[in-house]
Amino acid sequence: MTTVTGTGAGSGARVRTRTPLSYDHGTGTTPLLGDTIGENLDRAIAAHPGREALVVADGPRWTYAEFGAAVEELARGLLGIGVARGDRVGIWAVNCAEWVLTQYATARIGAIMVNINPAYRAHELEYVLNQAGVSVLCASLSHKTSDYRAMVDRVRADCPRLRSVHYIGDASWDALLAAGRTVAAGRLAAREAEISCDDPVNIQYTSGTTGFPKGATLSHHNILNNGYFVGETLGYTERDRICIPVPFYHCFGMVMGNLAATSHGACMVVPGPSFDPAATLRAVAAERCTSLYGVPTMFIAELGLPDFASYDLSSLRTGIMAGSPCPVEVMKRVVAEMHMAEVSICYGMTETSPVSTQTRRADDLERRTGTVGRVMPHVEVKIVDPATGVTLPRGTAGELCTRGYSVMAGYWGEPERTAEAVDPGRWMHTGDLAEMREDGYVRIVGRIKDMIIRGGENIYPREVEEFLHTHPQVSDVQVVGVPDQRYGEEILACVVPRDPADPPTLEGIAAFCRDRLAHYKIPRRLEILDTFPMTVSGKVRKVELRERYGAAGHR
């Protein structure tokens, strides 16, 4: 960028060169979709009626025509029990065919589906049901240690707007479907004709670290276009088969997975109700999947299986790794040993539908591991000074903001909290610290709240984590700041060792870092763990690590 100053263009003019600002916008020749989700699904059914749409391990296997019929059956059932346009329908379930049907059936009738975290307990369930005003709840009966029916019974008296609960695999689910048999097809068509692509279709509760979670309200236009452009960036066609072990409750599963698939006539493959590394690789091999999704810890678990080499993964070409930064060594193995030469890194947040930046299929290893890609089509990103809001020069760390079709309508029923996140210019403030490089690729350096300030020095955990991933005894690592009387904060490395019988020592970690990291970035504390505390969407709960190991006197 150049700025010309002076009174004329003659020899007296002065030319001053300025570093380009950290702003970029996604251009492209493909226009945004103007469909509702139901209209877009109809296009896929008409174009690919005989191709497989949904395959669930130990469950149904439906073509697009069969999937469309099943969606319509549930949509009529919801109409039959009196669900009106704009009513909130909760889905509290693990990954299963009925979850996907609920997603598309609610969209068809203009209802708003409320995603409820399967890990929630009764107190959290009660909050979401009341905060969103859920009138109909679709739920699993149980999963692992969770008895969903018992928890619903515990809170139902305190949820006055909840009038109907239907459990998957139970007579109550059969009754829901039966309620639609007297609903004429014309009634469903008439309801669909009332729906706009700008209508809210989904409320997703963000996993807040303080207070109750916030319900991000998303429209057909938000999530359909985001899924579509993620799929376009991956080169999806009707020949792709996408293995989705990430939870549908989260936008990774239902937007980047389901909507990316159906908007391209591709097949959704569900390996199980929750993540299991062996079940995931079995599904990839058996269904000849071309794409695989996961957070880095999922890929690490798959690569770590004792019989990993026995799975035929040769059908894979692409996939998505998101949720947290990908270590270089993990990415090398995913490309070389899982055949995912076109694997993509995505960055985003629930409030932005979710993806704002993504690496491209031809990007090299450095871009896939050192950045989270560049801006998506029809989206803007900028990096600002968190204190002033001024856009910073490229190469300078600040808060990442994004604007465009993908930004949520707001937090359900909470205008004050919405105003704290979305400014008057419609920029979503992510809370993430990032840098924009000269080439437009974005590097995440941490969360504003995760940045460690040790003796006045700013330390970004990602940098230390990336380095420690090269330690021969380290399988996975998370770095957090914990209170320290002398320095304010001190660096704690939480390590999952490659060999539990031979974990690294603090002295060994320090020696490994010495002369390679600045002295103030070297961990002063070490905890050896079997696993990290995780959210249901696969993100490490750093706040829990800080609380667990930052308590006074803990050593």
Side-chain angles (χ1 to χ4, degrees):
M1 179 184 296
T2 59
T3 302
V4 179
T5 61
T7 58
S11 59
R14 292 181 293 110
V15 177
R16 175 163 50 87
T17 301
R18 187 172 63 174
T19 304
L21 294 177
S22 298
Y23 168 86
D24 202 2
H25 63 282
T27 58
T29 57
T30 304
L32 288 167
L33 300 175
D35 300 339
T36 65
I37 290 170
E39 289 168 338
N40 190 260
L41 178 60
D42 283 342
R43 294 178 191 275
I45 293 168
H48 313 289
R51 296 196 72 91
E52 286 188 327
L54 179 65
V55 174
V56 179
D58 301 320
R61 178 183 294 269
W62 287 325
T63 64
Y64 266 91
E66 292 165 339
F67 178 65
V71 169
E72 182 171 329
E73 180 185 30
L74 179 55
R76 288 193 193 187
L78 292 168
L79 288 178
I81 63 169
V83 175
R85 180 182 172 190
D87 280 358
R88 273 76 70 203
V89 176
I91 176 70
W92 191 33
V94 293
N95 285 14
C96 59
E98 291 82 0
W99 207 111
V100 186
L101 294 179
T102 303
Q103 176 182 351
Y104 288 85
T106 50
R108 275 206 180 280
I109 65 169
I112 303 173
M113 183 177 72
V114 180
N115 298 15
I116 304 176
N117 187 330
Y120 276 180
R121 312 312 291 175
H123 178 65
E124 298 154 311
L125 171 67
E126 179 184 341
Y127 173 78
V128 167
L129 292 176
N130 285 326
Q131 204 279 328
V134 171
S135 59
V136 173
L137 177 64
C138 301
S140 295
L141 279 165
S142 62
H143 180 65
K144 295 183 178 177
T145 61
S146 294
D147 184 335
Y148 294 107
R149 191 197 296 272
M151 283 189 275
V152 170
D153 290 344
R154 194 177 312 158
V155 305
R156 192 163 185 177
D158 297 313
C159 300
R161 299 191 65 175
L162 181 63
R163 57 181 176 79
S164 178
V165 183
H166 304 273
Y167 295 100
I168 297 164
D170 180 69
S172 58
W173 189 266
D174 297 335
L176 171 59
L177 299 180
R181 290 177 193 145
T182 59
V183 174
R187 185 174 162 196
L188 178 57
R191 173 66 67 81
E192 290 191 85
E194 300 173 355
I195 303 168
S196 163
C197 67
D198 292 318
D199 287 348
V201 73
N202 183 215
I203 297 173
Q204 297 197 31
Y205 280 85
T206 61
S207 51
T209 56
T210 58
F212 283 107
K214 305 179 291 288
T217 307
L218 302 169
S219 69
H220 292 256
H221 195 65
N222 289 150
I223 61 177
L224 175 60
N225 275 289
N226 205 250
Y228 175 69
F229 279 101
V230 166
E232 285 287 285
T233 305
L234 294 170
Y236 281 164
T237 71
E238 71 276 7
R239 294 182 294 277
D240 280 292
R241 299 173 69 80
I242 307 164
C243 185
I244 311 173
V246 294
F248 291 147
Y249 138 79
H250 191 262
C251 43
F252 198 170
M254 66 162 284
V255 177
M256 299 153 71
N258 296 346
L259 288 172
T262 58
S263 62
H264 291 87
C267 180
M268 302 166 279
V269 176
V270 184
S274 58
F275 175 66
D276 176 87
T280 298
L281 296 190
R282 280 198 303 271
V284 169
E287 299 298 332
R288 307 305 294 154
C289 292
T290 59
S291 178
L292 173 61
Y293 288 6
V295 297
T297 52
M298 291 180 175
F299 285 98
I300 290 169
E302 290 156 5
L303 290 162
L305 289 171
D307 61 346
F308 170 78
S310 68
Y311 295 96
D312 180 2
L313 308 179
S314 59
S315 59
L316 287 172
R317 69 166 181 89
T318 189
I320 295 175
M321 198 180 301
S324 58
C326 175
V328 174
E329 296 306 313
V330 175
M331 178 60 76
K332 287 179 180 177
R333 293 192 64 193
V334 166
V335 171
E337 300 174 41
M338 300 182 80
H339 308 282
M340 295 172 63
E342 298 177 9
V343 66
S344 182
I345 300 296
C346 291
Y347 163 82
M349 60 193 307
T350 302
E351 292 90 335
T352 57
S353 299
V355 178
S356 296
T357 67
Q358 184 174 356
T359 59
R360 276 34 176 191
R361 285 182 282 165
D363 282 345
D364 57 19
L365 180 68
E366 187 277 331
R367 283 191 172 98
R368 287 180 182 158
T369 57
T371 80
V372 290
R374 52 192 170 91
V375 66
M376 295 289 285
H378 306 289
V379 172
E380 299 172 271
V381 295
K382 66 177 180 178
I383 294 169
V384 304
D385 183 318
T388 67
V390 173
T391 305
L392 295 167
R394 295 202 179 190
T396 306
E399 183 179 18
L400 179 60
C401 300
T402 184
R403 178 168 71 178
Y405 75 84
S406 58
V407 174
M408 65 174 181
Y411 294 121
W412 183 265
E414 298 191 273
E416 296 84 4
R417 296 178 88 178
T418 301
E420 292 170 1
V422 183
D423 69 24
R426 289 295 297 163
W427 287 97
M428 177 75 205
H429 290 249
T430 67
D432 283 317
L433 287 167
E435 294 176 0
M436 184 179 291
R437 309 191 319 185
E438 290 292 331
D439 60 6
Y441 279 73
V442 175
R443 186 172 76 92
I444 302 296
V445 296
R447 291 287 290 170
I448 291 175
K449 64 186 179 185
D450 285 345
M451 185 174 70
I452 302 168
I453 304 177
R454 180 188 183 274
E457 298 280 3
N458 292 349
I459 301 164
Y460 302 123
R462 166 76 198 276
E463 178 187 1
V464 182
E465 290 164 355
E466 191 66 58
F467 177 72
L468 290 179
H469 266 287
T470 66
H471 191 291
Q473 292 174 288
V474 173
S475 174
D476 205 357
V477 58
Q478 296 292 322
V479 168
V480 297
V482 291
D484 182 80
Q485 288 186 348
R486 181 177 181 185
Y487 293 103
E489 281 189 294
E490 195 51 274
I491 302 174
L492 164 67
C494 298
V495 168
V496 175
R498 288 190 183 277
D499 180 0
D502 183 30
T505 63
L506 180 60
E507 294 74 17
I509 290 286
F512 185 77
C513 295
R514 199 169 295 124
D515 300 326
R516 302 187 209 182
L517 288 181
H519 71 90
Y520 63 86
K521 298 178 184 176
I522 298 174
R524 265 55 175 192
R525 289 178 50 190
L526 174 69
E527 292 287 343
I528 302 298
L529 306 179
D530 296 326
T531 59
F532 298 129
M534 310 285 283
T535 69
V536 72
S537 57
K539 294 182 181 180
V540 176
R541 284 184 49 80
K542 284 196 171 187
V543 65
E544 187 170 327
L545 293 174
R546 284 193 294 269
E547 290 171 352
R548 184 188 302 176
Y549 300 115
H554 184 93
R555 291 290 182 269

